[in-house]
């Protein structure tokens, strides 16, 4: 946390953007890392599964979209926090 | 002799036109013009800074049009009622006099409901008893889809579901339904025991697992369900708003801005709109399928 705070103040001094703006940007950027990796894994594995067993495409797709939606929700929380952060 | 006859037809044929070539030219032209505009802006110290990105308040706040009994009616509310009315009229017209061999509206409605909602969502997620959940899922899917689609509909161009009240109400309805179904099917204590104490776990893990399971099933589910839809629509509308407002501002602006900025903004808007259509469909689909998953979890406890 101390590192983050130092980073925010440094960036705010280096650029002309307010600390609030940089904090908002960081919130979304940090929140998008995990879901990004997760969604990549989900779609990659789904493609692998369909390539191995093309007849299971329908089922795999459905599960893929459920997993995708659950992982994506975290990134969207970050997006909402972007507006809430003061 | 044989080689001559083999090569002769290929030589006479005109070479096939490359389809990618034209697009490449357009992109190259845009890149060059953008580069020239940037260079000119840097050299002559001319900036097209008249464009200010629209804020959330500007894009999503509406003044009440009129009040009915203390309730302020805004533009999204009117659009929502219009969409609901449209759906009611559509399904009444489609199914008021059902025929064995469907024609016209009934054909469309049956294709949408039977092939998509019933086979793709209800039966395949919930199981054979999913057919009785079809009306609920159909209503949710079409309502969410049409309200999302208002994002791209000409003149309206505002996704109704990007106001938090609508997805929140839907999510609360879904929450009531799946909890009600679970309690009705399994009984109150058995339902919550099924949620909090899933079988096949070492005893001491329950200290950690039970609160997490209860929290995620009862509290987090409706929040994620509504926030997912809401945030997707807000993000899409923000991107489209920035791109279109940028395009119009630069069209009205000076010649430098016209050359350098209108093309990228307009092109991006053109590319984003099909993507937004996909997101609109996807979010309605995900909302419906997650509803089906929650209902299925309440109907069939883990063994």
């Amino acid at each position: 946390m101390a590192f983050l705070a130092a980073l925010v103040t440094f960036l705010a001094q280096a650029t002309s953007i307010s600390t609030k703006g940089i904090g908002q940007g960081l919130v979304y950027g940090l929140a998008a890392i995990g879901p990004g990796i997760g969604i990549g894994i989900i779609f990659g594995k789904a493609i692998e599964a369909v390539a191995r067993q093309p007849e299971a495409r329908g089922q795999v797709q459905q599960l893929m979209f459920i997993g995708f939606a659950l992982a994506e929700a975290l990134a969207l929380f970050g997006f909402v926090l972007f507006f809430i952060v003061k | 002799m044989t080689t001559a006859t083999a090569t002769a037809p290929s030589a006479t044929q005109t070479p096939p036109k490359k389809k990618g070539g034209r697009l490449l030219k357009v992109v190259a032209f845009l890149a060059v013009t953008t580069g020239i505009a940037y260079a000119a802006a840097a050299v002559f110290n001319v900036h097209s800074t008249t464009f200010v990105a629209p804020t959330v308040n500007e894009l999503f706040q509406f003044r009440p049009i009129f009040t009915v009994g203390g309730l302020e009616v805004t533009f999204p509310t009117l659009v929502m009622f219009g969409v609901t009315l449209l759906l009611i009229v559509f399904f009444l017209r489609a199914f008021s006099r059902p025929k064995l061999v469907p024609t016209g509206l009934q054909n469309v409605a049956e294709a949408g409901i039977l092939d998509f909602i019933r086979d793709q969502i209800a039966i395949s997620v919930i199981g054979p008893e999913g057919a009785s959940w079809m009306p609920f899922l159909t209503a949710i899917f079409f309502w969410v889809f049409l309200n999302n689609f208002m994002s791209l509909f000409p003149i309206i161009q505002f996704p109704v579901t990007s106001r938090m009240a609508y997805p929140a109400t839907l999510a609360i309805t879904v929450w009531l339904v799946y909890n009600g179904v679970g309690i009705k099917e399994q009984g109150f204590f058995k339902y919550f025991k099924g949620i909090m104490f899933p079988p096949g776990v070492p005893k001491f893990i329950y200290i950690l697992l039970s609160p997490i399971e209860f929290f995620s099933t009862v509290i987090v589910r409706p929040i994620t369900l509504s926030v997912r839809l809401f945030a997707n629509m807000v993000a899409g509308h923000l991107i489209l708003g920035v791109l279109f407002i940028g395009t119009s501002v630069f069209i009205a602006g000076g010649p430098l801005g016209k050359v350098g900025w209108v093309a990228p903004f307009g092109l991006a808007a053109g590319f984003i709109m099909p993507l937004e259509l996909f997101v609109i469909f996807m979010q309605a689909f995900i909302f419906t399928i997650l509803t089906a998953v929650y209902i299925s979890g309440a109907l069939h406890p883990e063994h």
Side-chain angles (χ1 to χ4, degrees), chain B residues 29-114:
Chain B
F29 173 73
L30 283 177
V32 169
T33 47
T34 315
I36 290 173
Y38 270 114
V43 169
F44 298 113
N45 204 16
V46 179
H47 296 292
S48 49
T49 48
T50 45
F51 170 57
V52 179
T55 60
V56 180
N57 286 345
E58 286 165 12
L59 281 178
F60 292 97
Q61 293 283 0
F62 288 94
R63 285 205 191 81
I65 299 172
F66 55 87
T67 49
V68 179
L71 285 174
E72 289 174 338
V73 177
T74 53
F75 178 65
T77 320
L78 287 179
V79 175
M80 187 269 284
F81 276 115
V83 163
T84 313
L85 205 70
L86 191 78
L87 271 181
I88 291 171
V89 168
F90 172 74
F91 281 115
L92 279 184
R93 292 254 333 241
F95 291 118
S96 59
R97 280 184 225 89
K99 294 178 194 129
L100 194 63
V101 181
T103 51
L105 273 182
Q106 194 194 348
N107 220 340
V108 177
E110 278 195 0
I113 293 174
L114 293 184

Side-chain angles (χ1 to χ4, degrees), chain A residues 43 61-62 64-66 68-69 72, chain B residues 116 121 141 144-145 148 228-229 232-233 274-290:
Chain A
F43 276 91
Q61 241 172 12
Q62 197 183 59
M64 173 181 85
F65 282 126
I66 294 172
F68 161 74
E72 189 205 20
Chain B
F116 184 67
I121 297 175
F141 176 80
V144 172
F145 177 73
N148 288 353
R228 178 180 302 119
L229 179 59
N232 263 303
M233 286 302 113
L275 188 76
E276 184 64 13
L277 187 64
F278 174 72
V279 169
I280 282 167
F281 172 77
M282 212 60 240
Q283 286 312 310
F285 179 65
I286 283 173
F287 197 99
T288 320
I289 209 166
L290 281 177

